[in-house]
Amino acid sequence: MYDLGYTYKSEVEPADIELSTFWYEEAANHGDTDALVSLGNTYKRIKEVKDYTKALHYYKLAADKGNIDGKYNYAKLALQEKITDGVVFQYLFESAVSGEHDMEDAISLLKDKAESGSSVAQFYLGRYYTEKTDIENHEQTAYEWYKKSAMQGYVPAQNLILINQAENTNQTVKEIRGY
């Protein structure tokens, strides 16, 4: 079913988007998360059916089923459409640490949002540096991002900092909680 969707979109002249979409939907209904990503790509890129709301919907369905391309594509399009909920940054984080082809772009997007002041993006950037043990001073860099997030009131970051403090860091509870 997925292959039929691909064939109708990419290998016949002229492309038959209606049949392509039909077969991608059939494949998606049978659990094919790559078909969900292809549906998202269709609604994002094909002029005749362009609909970012539908593209986001299909990317999110794929992402929620664990498809790393769905996570990355959802996050990237969501940011383009000015959607910045926690899931967007979580999916960028997961894309960045996955080792997949979009890793550098995912971390770049995450850094941009963290540097522009998003406490949630800062938290997930901290998680990224926590995971990336091959980066020099990764623990200190992670801590700095968690601290920035915590100072803005993001509770998960505050909790991590407080746990870290309990393990003998120099950080004070008052500084993190903003008292």
Side-chain angles (χ1 to χ4, degrees):
M1 290 180 271
Y2 175 87
D3 290 342
L4 280 169
Y6 178 82
T7 299
Y8 281 112
K9 184 168 91 177
S10 303
E11 295 183 1
V12 298
E13 286 293 328
D16 189 331
I17 300 305
E18 188 175 325
L19 275 175
S20 173
T21 302
F22 171 81
W23 285 111
Y24 281 147
E25 286 175 352
E26 287 295 309
N29 289 336
H30 285 86
D32 189 331
T33 59
D34 288 333
L36 290 169
V37 172
S38 292
L39 282 164
N41 290 340
T42 298
Y43 286 112
K44 180 182 175 192
R45 298 179 183 148
I46 305 295
K47 183 179 176 181
E48 297 81 22
V49 294
K50 191 173 279 194
D51 183 335
Y52 286 162
T53 301
K54 285 184 180 180
L56 280 166
H57 170 75
Y58 285 114
Y59 287 148
K60 182 84 166 62
L61 287 175
D64 289 346
K65 293 181 183 218
N67 184 294
I68 199 68
D69 289 328
K71 290 177 181 187
Y72 173 75
N73 288 325
Y74 173 77
K76 190 170 181 177
L77 183 58
L79 288 174
Q80 177 185 323
E81 294 297 299
K82 310 282 190 269
I83 299 168
T84 56
D85 61 16
V87 170
V88 170
F89 299 120
Q90 177 184 340
Y91 286 163
L92 280 177
F93 160 74
E94 291 174 11
S95 298
V97 297
S98 72
E100 294 291 323
H101 61 280
D102 293 315
M103 180 179 71
E104 287 181 21
D105 195 32
I107 194 61
S108 176
L109 290 168
L110 191 56
K111 277 183 181 179
D112 286 347
K113 290 300 178 183
E115 289 169 353
S116 70
S118 167
S119 63
V120 181
Q122 291 166 345
F123 173 78
Y124 280 106
L125 191 56
R127 283 193 61 193
Y128 171 77
Y129 283 109
T130 299
E131 295 281 328
K132 299 305 283 183
T133 58
D134 59 333
I135 296 174
E136 188 175 330
N137 297 324
H138 72 98
E139 290 176 342
Q140 182 61 36
T141 304
Y143 180 78
E144 291 302 319
W145 284 111
Y146 287 140
K147 183 178 172 182
K148 286 179 183 186
S149 177
M151 294 294 284
Q152 292 191 69
Y154 190 63
V155 174
Q158 289 176 339
N159 291 339
L160 277 173
I161 295 289
L162 293 173
I163 289 167
N164 195 26
Q165 182 202 355
E167 295 171 356
N168 295 321
T169 67
N170 294 327
Q171 195 65 41
T172 68
V173 174
K174 286 184 178 182
E175 185 179 341
I176 294 306
R177 291 284 186 189
Y179 299 121

